[in-house]
Amino acid sequence: MNTSPKPKECAYEPCGKSFLPLRPLQTVCSPMCGMRLVRAKKAKERVETRKRREAIKTIPELIKEAQVAFNSYIRARDKDQPCICCGRPLGTGDVGGAFDCGHYRSTGSASHLRFDERNAHGQTKACNRYGAGRAVDYRVGLIARIGREAVEALEADNTPHKWTRDELIAIRATYKAKLKELEKQE
């Protein structure tokens, strides 16, 4: 009876060498291949975990992520323009920047317009947060930027919209890509 070990194929696929195992449960040809195999398995687990986490996100979580991407794009788009309300320059400011992405029709009262680029512009924090959006001044500045017809169309748009997972994921990806493109142009 022959009890000598039979050659095995290394479990780390890029290696692919044949080897004679020294131990009964040995699956790799060397310690280096063993480390690489463990790292590859951990990387695969991280990807799978990320996919599972993405799959269980709720609609409100996806709206929040899409809103962050959209607002970042609007702030980058409008950084060289003055505030839509007061006309002061939008500076770089301290932590969090000196200006916000302000919405003409708020996301609370017109959530269907939250991702409409005509409805969002750079606005100083003083105007947006502490001046309650300064709707009248915002309207004047908005007419100067996009025209009276477009402003009236925004004001007349009251069609409700229920966001789907796919829409929100697409919006998030679109505005992340647009932001990357803007940053690349600088």
Side-chain angles (χ1 to χ4, degrees):
M1 189 160 50
N2 188 1
T3 60
S4 62
K6 294 182 178 161
K8 283 186 170 180
E9 190 87 14
C10 183
Y12 181 61
E13 288 181 19
C15 175
K17 290 181 185 174
S18 272
F19 69 97
L20 288 174
L22 301 174
R23 290 169 295 291
L25 298 175
Q26 184 177 349
T27 59
V28 291
C29 65
S30 68
M32 187 60 74
C33 282
M35 285 185 352
R36 290 177 180 154
L37 181 64
V38 168
R39 286 182 185 147
K41 284 181 180 180
K42 283 186 178 183
K44 186 177 177 183
E45 286 175 12
R46 280 192 299 271
V47 168
E48 289 172 4
T49 301
R50 201 173 296 130
K51 283 181 185 177
R52 285 195 308 271
R53 280 189 184 148
E54 186 68 27
I56 63 170
K57 284 185 181 171
T58 63
I59 296 292
E61 289 173 325
L62 290 171
I63 286 174
K64 188 175 182 179
E65 289 177 2
Q67 192 71 59
V68 166
F70 176 79
N71 291 354
S72 297
Y73 167 72
I74 296 297
R75 284 192 304 273
R77 179 194 73 182
D78 291 355
K79 71 178 173 144
D80 295 328
Q81 295 187 18
C83 174
I84 191 92
C85 295
C86 64
R88 289 187 304 222
L90 301 172
T92 53
D94 50 3
V95 177
F99 66 100
D100 291 335
C101 168
H103 288 74
Y104 174 57
R105 294 192 59 200
S106 71
T107 58
S109 66
S111 63
H112 58 286
L113 295 174
R114 71 171 53 234
F115 303 119
D116 189 329
E117 291 181 31
R118 301 169 305 159
N119 188 46
H121 295 83
Q123 194 175 23
T124 63
K125 287 183 179 182
C127 292
N128 189 38
R129 297 180 188 184
Y130 314 119
R134 295 183 58 182
V136 174
D137 296 330
Y138 199 125
R139 187 175 198 278
V140 171
L142 196 56
I143 289 172
R145 284 199 194 169
I146 68 172
R148 182 176 300 279
E149 295 80 23
V151 171
E152 289 172 353
L154 276 176
E155 292 169 341
D157 186 357
N158 291 314
T159 53
H161 185 80
K162 189 167 179 109
W163 300 104
T164 65
R165 294 181 64 75
D166 294 336
E167 279 179 315
L168 293 167
I169 290 168
I171 288 168
R172 181 183 63 192
T174 298
Y175 284 104
K176 280 184 176 182
K178 281 184 167 190
L179 178 61
K180 221 176 241 185
E181 190 63 34
L182 263 182
E183 290 171 345
K184 193 189 305 181
Q185 290 174 1
E186 294 173 359

